[in-house]
Amino acid sequence: LQGRELMKYDLRGQVSQDQLNYELFTDSFKTAAAGKTAISKVYYLEKELGPHIDIFTPVFETNDKVAAVIKMQVNLEQLRKRIEDIKSQDDGHIYIVDEEGRLIAHHSQQYVFERPNLSSRALIKATLTSNTPSPDDFTYNNENNVSVTAKAVKIPGINWVAVFEQPTSKAYDFLIFIRNFFLITLIGSSLFLLLIALMLSENLTRAIRKLQQSVQSIEHGELNT
């Protein structure tokens, strides 16, 4: 609880005692020392390694008193690989930003390494501040200057934001199909109704024309009519 490392493991195995160090008294460490699991802010070790987070978990004694803290360092590259498989029509994808709007997971690893801050996007800014986005916020030009339509959701507990975006041209494909289908149906129905109307009109007026002809015949003395 004083921050002194008691034991440590990395990818090579257990770290020797002479290489142990002290943990800084960050807010996340203090939260875990007080008995609650906490997650650090996203940070970078090296550009090639990408973003990381630390998860601090308290270790309790039998009397529910905190005895120590376990710190786990997590490389968010696995998160990037997981969301890379979530696509829509091969054009839509998900990316994730942290509570400051910094990109931490994206299908493009190179773009993550550039460490862009996307809080300037109105949709992300509104979601981070729990405000209601305006209709215009759902459409913007992405890093490739492609017009996209997006939806953002705040992840509870850690205040990260997951954004699903898709090229606007693709996003409205279904609506365009519905519109065209409606227009074709409307035109087809109108032509069909016009044909029915002409047929009914012909049947109705045929009898009236015969009656008119009969009246004219009677006027001319053809009483047999």
Side-chain angles (χ1 to χ4, degrees):
L1 297 181
Q2 285 71 45
R4 182 171 59 90
E5 291 181 345
L6 303 177
M7 62 180 66
K8 185 175 183 179
Y9 290 83
D10 59 20
L11 296 178
R12 296 178 296 273
Q14 186 171 1
V15 177
S16 61
Q17 290 289 322
D18 60 343
Q19 292 183 342
L20 297 181
N21 208 330
Y22 280 83
E23 174 66 26
L24 297 177
F25 274 66
T26 61
D27 291 338
S28 302
F29 177 79
K30 293 177 182 178
T31 299
K36 187 177 180 180
T37 297
I39 299 177
S40 73
K41 288 188 175 182
V42 176
Y43 64 91
Y44 289 82
L45 293 177
E46 298 177 17
K47 184 176 180 180
E48 290 73 17
L49 295 178
H52 288 69
I53 59 171
D54 293 332
I55 301 177
F56 296 86
T57 305
V59 178
F60 295 94
E61 297 178 356
T62 54
N63 58 0
D64 291 336
K65 182 180 179 180
V66 178
V69 172
I70 296 177
K71 172 186 174 181
M72 180 171 63
Q73 187 182 72
V74 181
N75 188 336
L76 296 181
E77 172 63 12
Q78 292 299 321
L79 176 61
R80 187 195 69 81
K81 290 180 178 178
R82 293 297 298 271
I83 68 170
E84 189 177 21
D85 298 330
I86 305 175
K87 297 180 180 180
S88 173
Q89 299 180 356
D90 297 327
D91 293 304
H93 61 266
I94 291 177
Y95 64 89
I96 299 176
V97 300
D98 67 4
E99 70 277 6
E100 297 178 1
R102 297 179 299 168
L103 183 68
I104 59 176
H106 191 275
H107 71 282
S108 170
Q109 185 183 43
Q110 184 58 42
Y111 191 42
V112 175
F113 286 164
E114 294 175 8
R115 308 182 188 181
N117 190 310
L118 305 180
S119 59
S120 59
R121 293 179 178 176
L123 177 62
I124 293 177
K125 184 177 181 180
T127 307
L128 285 172
T129 55
S130 299
N131 293 325
T132 302
S134 68
D136 293 337
D137 294 343
F138 294 101
T139 302
Y140 57 85
N141 288 345
N142 65 9
E143 64 278 2
N144 297 319
N145 201 30
V146 175
S147 177
V148 296
T149 300
K151 173 67 177 177
V153 178
K154 181 180 285 189
I155 302 174
I158 54 178
N159 293 324
W160 294 354
V161 173
V163 183
F164 176 81
E165 71 175 21
Q166 190 174 27
T168 303
S169 58
K170 295 291 184 180
Y172 291 104
D173 275 354
F174 183 70
L175 293 179
I176 293 174
F177 168 76
I178 293 296
R179 182 199 64 184
N180 293 340
F181 180 78
F182 173 76
L183 291 176
I184 293 173
T185 303
L186 180 63
I187 295 173
S189 299
S190 299
L191 293 175
F192 178 74
L193 291 175
L194 178 61
L195 179 62
I196 295 295
L198 291 175
M199 293 176 61
L200 291 175
S201 173
E202 177 63 23
N203 289 333
L204 290 173
T205 57
R206 185 183 297 115
I208 297 176
R209 287 199 300 271
K210 289 179 65 177
L211 180 60
Q212 289 177 332
Q213 292 172 359
S214 299
V215 170
Q216 291 173 357
S217 297
I218 293 174
E219 287 180 346
H220 290 85
E222 299 177 9
L223 301 180
N224 291 332
T225 299

